Amino acid sequence: MRAKLLKIPLAILFLYFIFILIATTLLIKSPVKNEVNLNQIPSYAIKEQHFDQAQLLEDGFTSGQARLKIIEEAKKTIHIAYYKFYEEETTDLMIGAMFKAADRGVKVRFMLDAMTNYLNRDLKRALAAHPNIELKVYEPFHPLRPGTWQNRLHDKLLIVDEQFVITGGRNLGDKYLAESKMDNFVLDRDVLLYRPNIEDSSVIQHIDQYFLTLWDSPFSKQYKPKLSENDKTKETKREYMTYYDEMNTFQTVFSNPEFDWDKYTIKVDQTRFLANPIERGKKEPIIFTGLNELFKQAQSSIQIQTPYVIPTKEMKSHTAILPNSEVETDIITNSLNSTPNMLAFSGYLNKKGELIKEANRVYEYEGAFSVHGKSILIDDYTSVIGSFNFDSRSTFINTESIVIIEGKEFAEMLQLAFDDIIKESHLVSENGIMKQPAPTKSAGKELFLNILSKLTVPIQPLL
């Protein structure tokens, strides 16, 4: 009798597994909703005169300080959208500063991906209970709606008063922002955009417009319950604000950062913004198409740094990955030794031979940590920084956004950052010729990834 009863849940699990396989296959095989017409690219991507200034945030600790400072200086609005938000020392300070800002009347809109944020329930309730804070989660998981599983909010946006933006590759947590680098620390990259004169035209207005479109989309759900401030939520709020006050009292290095924004940022020639559509299922590859238009205009060089590079057949069928064969093209990514993402690296292993043929040079980072920056430099003049990885998930599935910055001085800063990564990287190939492979630190990891690369071929579009 017991054996018969056991068969029922096993049968249900088996049927659910079949359902997952069918749903995954349908998503992978489904066509892109529309072929991209460049005239359909949103107006905020079009060149227009902006008067923004910018600063590259290569150091994680400085990037965290800059975030904290613009939250502390907020006067009207704070808009936040993040893929991952860990509750740790650096982010606890930001939460405390956010509560302080809300107490002085700043309107805070805080949105996180529903499946990848790490905020505890008490904190979520305390945030939702504050009269000046709205909390939303993007695309909650639904076990019977497969489209919700893959539709992830991958943007990293902090927008304050339509005067400051910090965006790029960094999620929020100690492994991105701490001064002391732990074993799993991530080398990443952001850009700070600053609007010196609030009356001048700025790309920040368009980025904020995109945020509000995300906020109002049918996939963004108000966090419930929306509670009034009671003893429990007040105590949670007090804990974060007390921690923030204590850190300020002791003048910790992370707190009380000093920034003169006019001097800290530099003038650039042009700023533009590009984002993927906000919809469920296969999206029009707006960013990918825009990047390829930039590549076609390149005269001498393209350098791409991406933690994951998996150019699938569907990406190539839409448009060439590297369309101008006369331009020197470098790719910088993680190595077997440095990668923390086994699934994504298994996809890269399958495409490595193709990349070696297409790019002039392929570098794999062999330093102490891992690289997570998503950046492109074209002709020592055009810089691209954002959340976009060179894979099918960023191209067709996730919400993604990038900033395009034109200007020689900013490009020089990005080039120096690339050079620092390359110094700790192994040259895998040059002009189609394989170089001596770097020594593998873990034979077990190498064997596992080689096996995994064969198993993940059917799901490469989701890696």
Side-chain angles (χ1 to χ4, degrees):
M1 182 67 179
R2 184 177 297 177
K4 288 182 179 180
L5 290 175
L6 185 61
K7 288 180 180 180
I8 296 173
L10 289 175
I12 293 171
L13 284 173
F14 177 74
L15 290 173
Y16 188 64
F17 177 71
I18 297 298
F19 170 69
I20 291 172
L21 286 179
I22 293 172
T24 302
T25 302
L26 289 174
L27 177 61
I28 291 172
K29 298 295 185 182
S30 64
V32 177
K33 286 187 170 57
N34 293 293
E35 287 297 314
V36 174
N37 182 326
L38 290 181
N39 294 325
Q40 297 173 333
I41 291 180
S43 60
Y44 45 73
I46 298 171
K47 279 193 175 186
E48 59 183 69
Q49 184 60 50
H50 292 142
F51 299 91
D52 300 307
Q53 296 184 188
Q55 178 57 248
L56 190 69
L57 298 175
E58 187 70 11
D59 175 65
F61 183 68
T62 304
S63 185
Q65 286 184 311
R67 284 175 170 85
L68 187 63
K69 190 63 174 177
I70 64 174
I71 292 172
E72 291 174 341
E73 293 182 357
K75 297 176 178 64
K76 296 179 180 178
T77 58
I78 298 172
H79 292 162
I80 301 174
Y82 271 88
Y83 178 59
K84 289 184 179 179
F85 196 110
Y86 298 89
E87 274 192 73
E88 294 172 330
E89 290 182 5
T90 52
T91 46
D92 285 354
L93 275 170
M94 291 181 195
I95 294 291
M98 198 186 309
F99 276 127
K100 288 269 188 180
D103 278 356
R104 63 177 182 266
V106 176
K107 301 295 183 182
V108 179
R109 289 188 174 104
F110 191 13
M111 181 166 60
L112 297 168
D113 185 86
M115 291 173 59
T116 58
N117 76 81
Y118 299 91
L119 269 62
N120 68 63
R121 186 176 63 176
D122 287 342
L123 175 55
K124 288 179 180 177
R125 287 182 171 180
L127 289 165
H130 198 291
N132 285 329
I133 298 177
E134 292 181 84
L135 178 62
K136 285 190 175 184
V137 292
Y138 186 87
E139 194 68 288
F141 174 79
H142 192 296
L144 299 180
R145 299 184 68 182
T148 67
W149 307 349
Q150 304 296 339
N151 185 27
R152 305 293 13 118
L153 171 78
H154 196 241
D155 303 275
K156 288 91 173 168
L157 298 169
L158 172 60
I159 311 159
V160 173
D161 292 339
E162 284 195 356
Q163 189 170 22
F164 298 93
V165 164
I166 295 178
T167 187
R170 282 188 180 93
N171 298 298
L172 296 184
D174 287 355
K175 70 177 182 178
Y176 298 92
L177 305 173
E179 184 178 34
S180 299
K181 296 176 173 61
M182 60 285 292
D183 289 341
N184 66 340
F185 194 80
V186 176
L187 300 176
D188 216 321
R189 182 175 299 116
D190 297 310
V191 60
L192 166 71
L193 299 176
Y194 169 55
R195 184 183 184 186
N197 185 349
I198 202 68
E199 302 300 323
D200 285 340
S201 172
S202 170
V203 77
I204 295 172
Q205 296 167 286
H206 304 313
I207 298 174
D208 204 44
Q209 172 193 335
Y210 169 70
F211 171 87
L212 293 173
T213 306
L214 269 174
W215 183 264
D216 293 330
S217 78
F219 314 121
S220 300
K221 308 298 182 184
Q222 199 83 32
Y223 179 75
K224 296 177 181 179
K226 178 72 174 178
L227 304 170
S228 60
E229 290 192 304
N230 55 33
D231 290 342
K232 179 64 175 175
T233 60
K234 286 180 179 177
E235 177 57 31
T236 300
K237 172 187 167 186
R238 190 180 301 115
E239 288 174 3
Y240 284 89
M241 293 177 70
T242 299
Y243 176 69
Y244 171 83
D245 288 337
E246 287 176 350
M247 294 300 101
N248 276 292
T249 299
F250 292 110
Q251 298 288 300
T252 59
V253 287
F254 196 84
S255 301
N256 294 297
E258 294 296 329
F259 290 98
D260 181 331
W261 302 117
D262 290 302
K263 294 179 180 178
Y264 184 67
T265 56
I266 62 170
K267 291 181 179 179
V268 296
D269 295 339
Q270 181 61 264
T271 50
R272 286 181 282 163
F273 177 70
L274 200 56
N276 274 351
I278 302 166
E279 56 192 24
R280 189 180 288 153
K282 285 279 190 70
K283 298 173 172 61
E284 301 171 47
I286 295 289
I287 291 181
F288 187 59
T289 302
L291 289 177
N292 274 274
E293 286 304 305
L294 290 176
F295 292 166
K296 289 173 185 176
Q297 297 166 24
Q299 298 296 311
S300 59
S301 64
I302 300 170
Q303 296 178 80
I304 301 169
Q305 183 192 326
T306 176
Y308 322 121
V309 51
I310 314 169
T312 61
K313 288 182 180 179
E314 187 167 23
M315 291 169 69
K316 289 188 172 186
S317 68
H318 180 79
T319 182
I321 305 294
L322 303 171
N324 193 338
S325 59
E326 296 179 0
V327 172
E328 291 281 313
T329 305
D330 293 353
I331 294 174
I332 310 162
T333 190
N334 279 301
S335 67
L336 183 149
N337 294 319
S338 68
T339 184
N341 189 329
M342 302 289 196
L343 283 172
F345 195 82
S346 73
Y348 163 67
L349 283 178
N350 281 312
K351 298 296 181 180
K352 193 170 176 177
E354 296 175 25
L355 289 166
I356 287 169
K357 292 177 183 178
E358 293 181 7
N360 292 92
R361 283 167 292 273
V362 176
Y363 295 93
E364 290 181 355
Y365 176 73
E366 293 286 354
F369 308 109
S370 65
V371 289
H372 194 249
K374 306 111 172 15
S375 307
I376 300 167
L377 181 58
I378 302 172
D379 291 342
D380 300 323
Y381 180 73
T382 301
S383 304
V384 179
I385 297 176
S387 64
F388 184 88
N389 296 311
F390 249 74
D391 56 26
S392 183
R393 172 168 285 281
S394 280
T395 301
F396 299 111
I397 298 175
N398 290 341
T399 70
E400 304 283 0
S401 51
I402 61 171
V403 174
I404 303 165
I405 300 169
E406 295 178 358
K408 193 164 183 61
E409 187 176 357
F410 188 89
E412 287 172 354
M413 289 193 292
L414 184 56
Q415 183 64 69
L416 288 173
F418 280 177
D419 290 345
D420 285 342
I421 297 294
I422 289 173
K423 285 175 186 175
E424 296 190 81
S425 299
H426 176 72
L427 180 60
V428 175
S429 66
E430 190 168 18
N431 297 323
I433 300 172
M434 285 286 293
K435 300 293 184 181
Q436 186 69 26
T440 301
K441 295 178 182 177
S442 171
K445 184 178 182 181
E446 182 178 23
L447 176 63
F448 174 76
L449 281 168
N450 281 318
I451 294 172
L452 190 63
S453 68
K454 305 299 185 289
L455 298 176
T456 55
V457 169
I459 59 167
Q460 278 184 2
L462 301 181
L463 298 180

